[in-house]
Amino acid sequence: MLPPRSVTWFALILFFVSSPSHGFYLPGSYPHKYQIGDPLSVKVNSLTSIDTEIPFGYYSLPFCRPSEGIKDSAENLGELLMGDRIENSPYRFRMFTNESDLLLCHTDPLSSDDLSLLKKRIDEMYQVNVLLENLPAIRYTTKEDLVLRWTGYPIGVRVGDSHFIFNHLKFTVLVHKYEEPATVTAASANSPGVGGTAAGEPGYMVVGFEVIPCSYQHDTDSVKNVKMYDKYPTKIQCEPTTVAMAVKEKQSLVFTYEVSFVESHIRWPSRWDAYLKMEGAKFTGSRFSTPSWLLHSSPYSSSDFAPNGSTRFDTVRRIGQGGAGPDE
Ligand SMILES: *[C@@H]1O[C@H](CO)[C@@H](O)[C@H](O)[C@H]1NC(C)=O
Ligand SMILES: *[C@@H]1O[C@H](CO)[C@@H](O)[C@H](O)[C@H]1NC(C)=O
């Protein structure tokens, strides 16, 4: 192996050589056009914490596993160089198709070891990093009328003596309609490398990815016979400011999700702009060295969660420093 620095230089040289005129694309991250209904897969990166700085594999915790097995899924040199560990996940979407109340899985009942590890990682403020088309999911929080954005979301939160898990994810995918170069003016005809799917059919590109994590009290018994991607038996109301699902020994965890697709004016080359403005981002000067600082720069925001049934905001135990701003 070359020492990391020369690998980086090699990558940069390769990068410039291979993309002479089209600006800042990560190797392997050319626009991908999807037809309505085409499958999209979410990837997961290592669990990270600003508290410990030791990453752990996503599947070191009892999360749902993909039915095809876990595979290393780094797509480009950038991902490999930054030492991220990118793997496939079972979260699936269909392009431009809103879906809700989807069951991902229910886990085996938690052993005492699973439980203590889960609690430990929650206490250590580990967070989950999910990606779609190389874009880390953005999470918005508000603090005193300020809207802050982060990448990643906490595994869970401790409130009082209980540890709550975020087990329902509300995803938003921002998409931009792909205009066929043949039918539009030259100004928008310079996107390189778009795949050769049939011309003329409407297609979309992913230009943004957002997540709202929720802690939802599922009824474990009601999903015994529900399969992955089938509907959860009742409507799931995602309430991001309260937490409901406390983790307990011998109890299964149920994971669900929903996704909505929203058309955006963001164009493909601008899709990183939201990240460059991100709080806490240490911009190191090169736009294409994004993955590492993007994925590890987001302090856990010890934001305002309250257990189901109690008054919002005022019973939250502040957990640790490094939150979204100065804690009062
Ligand atoms: C999906 O739902 C959002 C609202 O949540 C709506 O704005 C959007 O138009 C819907 N998209 C599709 C493709 O139905
Ligand atoms: C928790 O939330 C559920 C559904 O939102 C509700 O039915 C239940 O009564 C709540 N539990 C408490 C303790 O308030």
Side-chain angles (χ1 to χ4, degrees):
M1 279 297 281
L2 293 164
R5 176 151 294 176
S6 24
V7 178
T8 307
W9 279 111
F10 172 71
L12 293 185
I13 291 161
L14 191 72
F15 174 82
F16 283 115
V17 167
S18 62
S19 58
S21 62
H22 292 304
F24 301 113
Y25 289 105
L26 282 164
S29 71
Y30 292 106
H32 189 155
K33 175 187 163 188
Y34 293 90
Q35 312 285 315
I36 292 173
D38 280 353
L40 290 161
S41 305
V42 173
K43 293 181 190 177
V44 288
N45 205 341
S46 310
L47 307 169
T48 52
S49 164
I50 51 145
D51 245 22
T52 73
E53 297 188 353
I54 303 166
F56 289 100
Y58 177 80
Y59 293 105
S60 63
L61 290 181
F63 293 136
C64 304
R65 287 154 176 264
S67 48
E68 73 273 19
I70 298 162
K71 295 172 187 150
D72 281 336
S73 305
E75 249 175 35
N76 64 52
L77 206 49
E79 293 173 358
L80 290 173
L81 286 171
M82 298 305 168
D84 293 324
R85 179 161 171 192
I86 297 177
E87 294 167 308
N88 56 337
S89 90
Y91 292 100
R92 296 282 146 76
F93 311 144
R94 285 180 288 166
M95 178 48 92
F96 217 62
T97 309
N98 287 358
E99 293 178 280
S100 59
D101 314 314
L102 296 174
L103 181 85
L104 194 63
C105 80
H106 56 276
T107 66
D108 292 336
L110 293 180
S111 66
S112 61
D113 286 351
D114 288 341
L115 182 69
S116 46
L117 186 63
L118 200 52
K119 288 181 171 176
K120 186 162 184 278
R121 295 288 180 258
I122 290 172
D123 286 339
E124 291 166 336
M125 299 193 290
Y126 270 89
Q127 58 166 36
V128 180
N129 299 293
V130 294
L131 305 119
L132 184 67
E133 291 269 291
N134 291 323
L135 292 175
I138 294 188
R139 178 173 59 98
Y140 291 92
T141 61
T142 50
K143 194 174 181 84
E144 287 142 18
D145 299 334
L146 268 179
V147 178
L148 304 171
R149 48 189 155 192
W150 315 100
T151 58
Y153 65 88
I155 293 167
V157 64
R158 179 176 179 160
V159 181
D161 290 334
S162 298
H163 290 77
F164 293 87
I165 188 160
F166 292 113
N167 56 353
H168 178 81
L169 298 180
K170 186 172 180 171
F171 293 107
T172 303
V173 182
L174 306 183
V175 294
H176 190 87
K177 199 167 206 158
Y178 175 68
E179 293 143 356
E180 292 295 340
T183 60
V184 293
T185 52
S188 54
N190 60 355
S191 314
V194 175
T197 43
E201 290 175 44
Y204 291 93
M205 294 172 296
V206 174
V207 294
F209 186 38
E210 299 168 5
V211 66
I212 299 173
C214 291
S215 176
Y216 184 80
Q217 179 74 58
H218 291 106
D219 176 358
T220 313
D221 286 337
S222 75
V223 298
K224 284 244 157 68
N225 298 313
V226 183
K227 294 202 186 66
M228 196 179 267
Y229 312 126
D230 284 352
K231 283 268 184 182
Y232 186 79
T234 55
K235 182 102 198 89
I236 295 172
Q237 200 63 47
C238 176
E239 173 50 74
T241 53
T242 56
V243 287
M245 188 64 206
V247 293
K248 298 193 183 88
E249 193 175 339
K250 298 203 179 80
Q251 183 191 58
S252 298
L253 298 174
V254 179
F255 291 91
T256 52
Y257 67 106
E258 62 189 281
V259 60
S260 57
F261 284 81
V262 177
E263 270 201 84
S264 163
H265 64 275
I266 298 170
R267 302 178 63 84
W268 173 269
S270 314
R271 63 189 201 139
W272 289 102
D273 290 0
Y275 299 88
L276 300 175
K277 293 180 204 134
M278 197 164 286
E279 292 74 16
K282 289 187 211 75
F283 185 51
T284 51
S286 48
R287 184 169 182 174
F288 41 82
S289 71
T290 37
S292 187
W293 61 260
L294 280 183
L295 294 172
H296 307 303
S297 68
S298 51
Y300 179 92
S301 145
S302 60
S303 46
D304 311 294
F305 300 107
N308 184 16
S310 72
T311 330
R312 279 158 59 157
F313 304 119
D314 48 12
T315 58
V316 177
R317 187 179 153 236
R318 297 277 178 184
I319 53 168
Q321 315 77 28
D327 280 353
E328 326 60 58

